[in-house]
Amino acid sequence: MGWRRGVVRGPRRRRAPLLSRLRVGHKLLLLVLLPVTGLVALTAFGALAQWEEARTLERFRSAIDVSFATSGVSDAVATERVDAVRARLRPDTATLTARSASRQATDRALDGAVRRADSWPTARAGGELDAVSRQLSAVRVQAGLGALTARAIAQQYQEIQDTLLDTATALETGRPTRAAGRAADAHVAILEAVEAAERERVELAVLLDTPTGRRPAAAGRWSALEEAQLREFRRTTSDRLRAALYQAQFEVPGRAVRAVRDLLADPDPPTARWPSYGGWLADSTARIAALRGIQDEAARDLADTAAADLEGARNRAARDLTVSLAVLTGVALLAFVLARSITRPLREVTAGARALSAGDLSFAVHYAGHDELGDVADTFRELRVTTERLAAEIRSMNSAVDDNRLEHRVDVGRFDGTWAQLLGGMNGTMASFAAAHGRRRKAERELEDIFNLSLDLLCILGVDGSFRRVNPAFERTLGYPRATLLARHPADLVHEEDRERTRAALELLAGGAELAGFENRYVREDGTECWLQWSARPVPEEGLVYAAARDVTERRRAAREQSALRRVATLVARGATPERVFGAVAAEVEDLLGAEVAAVLRHESDGTLTVLGTAHGTGREGEAAAREVLRTRAPARVGRSVAAPIAVDGRLWGAVVATTRRTPRPTPDPTPDPTSGAVPEPAPRSMPDPASGPVLEPALRPTPDPASGPVPDPAPQPTPETASQPTPEPASQATPKTASQPTPGPMPPDASRLADFTELVAAAVANADSRAQLSASRARVVAAGDASRRRIERDLHDGVQQRLVALQLDLRLAESLVADPSSELGRQLAHVAKGLEDASYDLLQVARGIHPAILSKGGLGPALRSLARRCPVPVELDLALPARRLPERLEVAAYYVVSECLTNAVKHAHARVVTVDAHARGDALELTVRDDGAGGAEPGRGSGLIGLVDRVEAIGGRLDLRSPPGQGTTLRVTAPLEGPPHG
């Protein structure tokens, strides 16, 4: 025994704050990096904003690309408009060829614009271009057919131009920067100015083609609009493009256009000074071409501005992000160097402290700095020396404990402070340990006494399953001496049918699993069996298993007996026939007691015995025991046979007899799962009871299970003819042998176990008698009612009906004596004769309803056909009856069932058709009546159906009714062809 080293746990410390959980190096890094990280975060947010600006500029550049393509389509449409108007005004080969070429140019420009718009994420531009394509197709078709005037053609193209300019203007409205906005404004202004010049050219060309002398009211509008857009262009464009515009306006075409405008502005312009149609088109076309050149320059300026803005935004974002990362990297490196100069000595001191805490005194701290960390290292080295001295004292204490020198104490005077208190505590612990050691020895002696005196079986096993120690209860229960139990493996003592389960349970215990409620059979030294219920817990670190067992043999036997009684009681409660109950009682008794034979016998008034149920016969000793019961009115034993009396209503009715086996056989086991730990439901087999005399073993045959249905009748069973025959007494009973003499002494335990079965037999007999009396009473009531019906029907037929017939004849004779049949007397006599005839017919129908004569004369088939003919609704008959007449009360019952069903089908169900099936199958009549009426019939809601149920059950039959609402009614009757006697 020695001193056990372990971890000494101090008082539970409070949870440290968050910052105190971080290491020093991490704190230094946080101290330096937090502000720098904040600065970098701000820079990063700025960079992100710049990247977002760059994405906006990228989208704007893509938008102006689509806008340039759209403006190209606008220029092509403007050219096509002029050529279309020219072809309409002066159609010739040149104008038609020019119009065709301009259409092709427009289609190419439109296809290019559509492809460019498909790359733009917004679907609006593509939709607008699709609409323009459809409008162009419509205008071209109308212009080709000559359906439009020149002015209408110009108007149609003008609407298309408006759509294209609106699309281009919408695409350039983003303007993410000021420079891009000014360039976009300049580009849109020059687009609008060129479009105004184009419209002016077309309108004047139309006017000049057919001079009318009137002042063109709309000509000045387009020039004013052009001037306004050019002023906006000069305000927003560059100096270079302003100069180009100035030059274009003062060139020859520009001056010529201005002269035409001045002429048109004159209130009374001289007609001779008007320009020609060709001259105007040439000058205006040249001037518009110059403006388009300026438009292209403005588009290039806008594209260059957008590209420059995009590149600048990207460069600024990359520069700011690079600077931020560089600053963060430099600061992180500086913080890492400073942290390393502090954390290295701290780690060395920490490692030394951990080694000292783990008991390693060989670790040395080499850091010798002049800072605070150096002071800590010096203190650690002093602590190491003191710890070595303390370890030496602890080792001496351990040696004293191992040597059982519990009086040893440590010299506390060599230490100071807490060390002295610690060693003083060790001395106190040594004193307490010595006292506890004495108490432990006393507890061991008390535990030994409990182990030896316990009535339960207690043992200690090895992991291999062998007994290491057993208490005396093992010897008392199994009968083996202690030496035999310790020398043999437990599996060798287990019943051979339970050895596999037992070995599996031992393997589970060896694997560390606990066991509870496990049951198996052991073979005692005298060869008998006993059931033990085990609970075991392994201790793997010790290589042992502690187990306790309890003898549950008697409990299992009682459980099997209760199961057998429940099965028989279930049969009695279900109203099984007495023959079946008697056979089940004999089978259960034979199975429960392990008897060789078992039987239920009835005492007759002449002293004979009638076998009502048996399992493997009765035997001479069994019959002798039954007669002894009759003589003594008490349970009796004769040889190996026991008998218990059956009393019904206070009188001796019979006896239950069982004869034990001569040679015991093993008891089968349900073999539950050894891993489940659950106690299985006791099987219907009896365990041997050494205290009850000879061992009773069950026959090797299956036992019926009440959960799977009725208990089958044991074989052989007496037939109804032979069951009531008395069993003849053998001649040897006149001088009984010694083996058949009643056994003196106390009543055997088997007789008390039979008493429960005798009570169930008595209950079955009483139930059968009650049912027979009820059936006979009901049959008598029905028979009396039928007899009364026949008597009333006969009285009506032979009495009242005959008198009515005689009166009819007399009245007809009196009517024939009247001289004038049309006289008042003749009419009165005819009226009375008619009423008398109707009354006679009504009386005939009443007599038929009480008891039809055709049923008595012709039988069930003709009676049912007569009912079908008289029924107001169609009746379909399907009859398969035997040629011979059925019993009268069966025919009467079937007739009234069909009559009542037809009446209900007409009065209540309102059926359209009724089907009647009557078949004789085997020994039963099956009658089915169906209708397609309203349904919803219930036996409890009317006396008619209740009367039918009573009538059918009185002849031993059964009536089933199915009548769901709205689905018609089906009534089925099954009755035996040979019904029960009237009783």
Side-chain angles (χ1 to χ4, degrees):
M1 184 177 233
W3 184 268
R4 305 288 184 185
R5 293 185 180 180
V7 178
V8 179
R9 299 182 183 273
R12 186 175 182 180
R13 295 180 298 176
R14 295 177 57 188
R15 188 176 182 85
L18 177 62
L19 292 179
S20 63
R21 302 177 205 169
L22 300 177
R23 296 182 177 274
V24 175
H26 295 165
K27 293 180 180 179
L28 290 175
L29 288 176
L30 286 176
L31 183 63
V32 175
L33 292 180
L34 280 178
V36 176
T37 303
L39 178 62
V40 171
L42 293 177
T43 306
F45 283 129
L48 290 176
Q50 292 174 356
W51 281 111
E52 182 63 27
E53 180 184 358
R55 284 196 294 270
T56 303
L57 290 170
E58 179 68 26
R59 289 193 295 271
F60 179 69
R61 188 176 68 176
S62 300
I64 63 176
D65 288 343
V66 179
S67 174
F68 293 160
T70 305
S71 62
V73 176
S74 177
D75 295 343
V77 170
T79 302
E80 181 181 345
R81 176 176 56 186
V82 173
D83 292 339
V85 170
R86 291 175 58 196
R88 182 67 179 86
L89 295 175
R90 298 181 180 182
D92 55 20
T93 304
T95 57
L96 293 176
T97 302
R99 184 183 67 177
S100 177
S102 62
R103 286 181 177 180
Q104 294 177 1
T106 300
D107 291 339
R108 287 193 298 272
L110 186 60
D111 292 340
V114 169
R115 287 193 298 272
R116 184 65 60 86
D118 290 340
S119 63
W120 177 245
T122 302
R124 178 185 175 188
E128 295 291 345
L129 292 174
D130 289 340
V132 167
S133 177
R134 290 192 295 271
Q135 292 176 354
L136 277 175
S137 299
V139 172
R140 289 171 180 176
V141 171
Q142 293 176 352
L145 296 175
L148 299 175
T149 62
R151 189 177 300 279
I153 292 174
Q155 182 64 30
Q156 294 286 344
Y157 277 101
Q158 180 178 337
E159 294 177 359
I160 297 174
Q161 283 289 89
D162 291 339
T163 301
L164 292 172
L165 289 177
D166 291 342
T167 302
T169 304
L171 290 170
E172 296 181 11
T173 56
R175 306 177 183 184
T177 63
R178 183 176 181 181
R182 290 180 62 84
D185 291 340
H187 183 251
V188 171
I190 193 66
L191 285 176
E192 295 288 348
V194 170
E195 174 57 20
E198 289 281 2
R199 295 179 179 178
E200 182 184 32
R201 177 174 62 163
V202 172
E203 287 193 6
L204 289 180
V206 174
L207 294 176
L208 293 174
D209 180 62
T210 54
T212 60
R214 292 177 299 172
R215 179 181 178 183
R221 179 183 57 171
W222 299 118
S223 60
L225 179 61
E226 176 188 341
E227 287 298 330
Q229 294 297 333
L230 289 178
R231 282 195 300 272
E232 178 65 18
F233 176 74
R234 293 188 194 97
R235 187 181 65 81
T236 56
T237 191
S238 61
D239 294 337
R240 178 175 61 83
L241 293 183
R242 289 193 195 97
L245 177 62
Y246 183 80
Q247 182 179 357
Q249 286 179 335
F250 287 95
E251 288 181 350
V252 174
R255 292 197 302 274
V257 169
R258 183 175 295 278
V260 173
R261 289 177 178 173
D262 293 340
L263 181 63
L264 294 175
D266 190 353
D268 187 17
T271 306
R273 293 180 56 189
W274 280 12
S276 65
Y277 171 80
W280 166 251
L281 288 178
D283 293 338
S284 61
T285 300
R287 180 175 177 276
I288 290 173
L291 292 178
R292 290 193 187 282
I294 297 173
Q295 172 188 328
D296 295 338
E297 291 295 331
R300 280 192 290 273
D301 286 351
L302 176 58
D304 294 341
T305 302
D309 291 342
L310 176 61
E311 185 65 23
R314 289 176 175 174
N315 291 337
R316 288 193 300 275
R319 182 185 64 245
D320 293 346
L321 185 60
T322 303
V323 171
S324 300
L325 292 177
V327 171
L328 180 62
T329 303
V331 173
L333 290 175
L334 177 62
F336 178 76
V337 172
L338 292 176
R340 186 175 178 82
S341 65
I342 296 175
T343 56
R344 287 186 63 183
L346 278 179
R347 280 198 295 269
E348 185 178 6
V349 173
T350 302
R354 289 178 178 173
L356 181 62
S357 175
D360 184 10
L361 303 181
S362 62
F363 188 87
V365 178
H366 302 287
Y367 182 73
H370 298 288
D371 52 1
E372 289 81 355
L373 294 177
D375 297 339
V376 173
D378 294 339
T379 303
F380 175 77
R381 284 188 281 270
E382 294 176 1
L383 177 62
R384 177 187 171 190
V385 174
T386 303
T387 305
E388 289 179 348
R389 292 170 52 207
L390 181 63
E393 293 294 340
I394 293 175
R395 284 194 293 271
S396 65
M397 180 70 74
N398 288 338
S399 299
V401 172
D402 293 339
D403 298 339
N404 203 19
R405 293 182 286 108
L406 302 181
E407 70 281 357
H408 177 77
R409 300 294 183 270
V410 178
D411 185 6
V412 181
R414 297 176 55 192
F415 296 88
D416 299 325
T418 304
W419 304 121
Q421 296 177 6
L422 177 61
L423 294 177
M426 290 178 61
N427 288 337
T429 302
M430 178 64 81
S432 300
F433 182 76
H437 184 68
R439 292 193 298 271
R440 176 186 175 185
R441 296 297 300 273
K442 180 180 178 182
E444 289 177 351
R445 289 193 298 269
E446 294 175 352
L447 182 61
E448 183 73 17
D449 293 339
I450 295 174
F451 184 80
N452 293 328
L453 296 176
S454 174
L455 297 179
D456 289 335
L457 287 72
L458 306 178
C459 66
I460 302 175
L461 299 92
V463 292
D464 58 349
S466 60
F467 287 120
R468 299 294 178 84
R469 188 178 179 187
V470 296
N471 69 337
F474 264 91
E475 302 180 57
R476 293 192 300 268
T477 302
L478 300 181
Y480 297 102
R482 184 188 303 270
T484 303
L485 293 172
L486 297 178
R488 298 179 63 179
H489 194 276
D492 298 337
L493 306 178
V494 175
H495 193 283
E496 60 181 5
E497 296 181 1
D498 293 348
R499 287 178 183 173
E500 291 299 325
R501 296 193 302 113
T502 303
R503 290 192 179 95
L506 291 175
E507 291 176 359
L508 290 177
L509 290 172
E514 295 185 7
L515 202 64
F518 175 76
E519 296 184 5
N520 60 357
R521 288 170 290 181
Y522 274 74
V523 180
R524 297 188 180 97
E525 188 178 27
D526 58 2
T528 59
E529 300 172 3
C530 68
W531 280 90
L532 298 183
Q533 186 182 67
W534 290 89
S535 296
R537 175 177 297 175
V539 184
E541 59 271 14
E542 298 180 4
L544 299 176
V545 176
Y546 296 91
R550 180 169 296 175
D551 188 355
V552 294
T553 304
E554 186 62 27
R555 188 200 70 186
R556 292 179 66 90
R557 189 189 70 176
R560 291 186 66 248
E561 182 175 344
Q562 291 300 318
S563 297
L565 291 173
R566 278 197 301 271
R567 287 191 288 273
V568 176
T570 301
L571 284 178
V572 175
R574 290 177 179 175
T577 61
E579 291 80 4
R580 190 174 180 188
V581 175
F582 299 151
V585 168
E588 294 291 354
V589 168
E590 182 265 346
D591 196 13
L592 178 65
L593 302 181
E596 185 176 282
V597 295
V600 177
L601 305 177
R602 183 176 65 195
H603 295 296
E604 302 298 343
S605 59
D606 57 356
T608 58
L609 298 174
T610 301
V611 179
L612 302 178
T614 179
H616 303 94
T618 57
R620 290 184 301 173
E621 289 184 352
E623 296 176 5
R627 289 189 176 84
E628 184 65 19
V629 168
L630 179 60
R631 185 182 66 84
T632 61
R633 298 293 195 270
R637 173 191 287 273
V638 176
R640 293 182 296 110
S641 297
V642 292
I646 301 174
V648 179
D649 295 334
R651 60 183 179 86
L652 182 62
W653 184 86
V656 178
V657 179
T659 303
T660 60
R661 296 186 184 277
R662 297 180 183 273
T663 304
R665 286 183 291 184
T667 303
D669 177 43
T671 314
D673 184 4
T675 62
S676 64
V679 180
E681 176 68 21
R685 291 290 185 269
S686 174
M687 299 310 303
D689 186 1
S692 62
V695 179
L696 303 179
E697 296 294 340
L700 296 179
R701 62 177 181 82
T703 301
D705 184 3
S708 61
V711 179
D713 295 338
Q717 284 293 335
T719 63
E721 292 78 5
T722 60
S724 61
Q725 296 176 0
T727 302
E729 296 187 21
S732 59
Q733 288 185 3
T735 57
K737 300 179 181 180
T738 305
S740 299
Q741 294 295 327
T743 302
M747 188 55 54
D750 294 340
S752 62
R753 298 168 68 182
L754 291 177
D756 295 329
F757 288 97
T758 63
E759 295 177 0
L760 293 176
V761 172
V765 172
N767 290 345
D769 185 61
S770 298
R771 286 196 298 272
Q773 293 178 8
L774 176 61
S775 178
S777 175
R778 181 180 290 173
R780 287 193 299 270
V781 171
V782 172
D786 291 341
S788 298
R789 285 173 176 268
R790 286 193 297 271
R791 186 176 64 254
I792 294 172
E793 188 270 339
R794 186 170 56 252
D795 293 343
L796 290 175
H797 181 271
D798 297 341
V800 178
Q801 190 174 2
Q802 296 301 324
R803 292 181 62 189
L804 288 176
V805 171
L807 288 175
Q808 279 183 287
L809 294 175
D810 293 341
L811 189 59
R812 291 300 181 186
L813 179 60
E815 188 179 0
S816 65
L817 296 177
V818 177
D820 185 7
S822 61
S823 63
E824 182 67 23
L825 178 61
R827 289 195 300 271
Q828 289 295 332
L829 289 175
H831 176 71
V832 173
K834 182 63 173 64
L836 190 59
E837 183 180 355
D838 292 342
S840 179
Y841 178 79
D842 293 340
L843 182 61
L844 177 62
Q845 296 301 318
V846 171
R848 288 178 177 176
I850 294 175
H851 187 80
I854 192 173
L855 180 63
S856 301
K857 296 178 182 179
L860 181 60
L864 294 182
R865 295 186 184 95
S866 176
L867 279 177
R869 287 193 299 270
R870 297 200 308 268
C871 184
V873 299
V875 178
E876 298 178 358
L877 289 177
D878 183 8
L879 306 179
L881 301 175
R884 61 183 178 87
R885 288 287 299 272
L886 300 176
E888 180 184 1
R889 52 189 185 146
L890 177 59
E891 290 184 340
V892 172
Y895 177 86
Y896 282 117
V897 166
V898 175
S899 176
E900 182 69 21
C901 289
L902 293 180
T903 302
N904 290 338
V906 174
K907 293 175 58 179
H908 306 295
H910 306 292
R912 294 186 299 272
V913 65
V914 181
T915 303
V916 178
D917 299 334
H919 299 271
R921 293 188 175 92
D923 57 351
L925 173 65
E926 297 181 1
L927 178 64
T928 304
V929 182
R930 302 184 185 88
D931 67 57
D932 58 353
E938 296 181 7
R941 293 171 56 184
S943 60
L945 291 177
I946 296 176
L948 292 183
V949 173
D950 292 340
R951 179 177 290 275
V952 170
E953 291 182 354
I955 61 174
R958 179 179 177 182
L959 185 146
D960 295 323
L961 178 66
R962 182 178 180 274
S963 182
Q967 300 182 22
T969 301
T970 300
L971 184 142
R972 290 186 176 87
V973 173
T974 303
L977 295 179
E978 299 296 336
H982 289 282

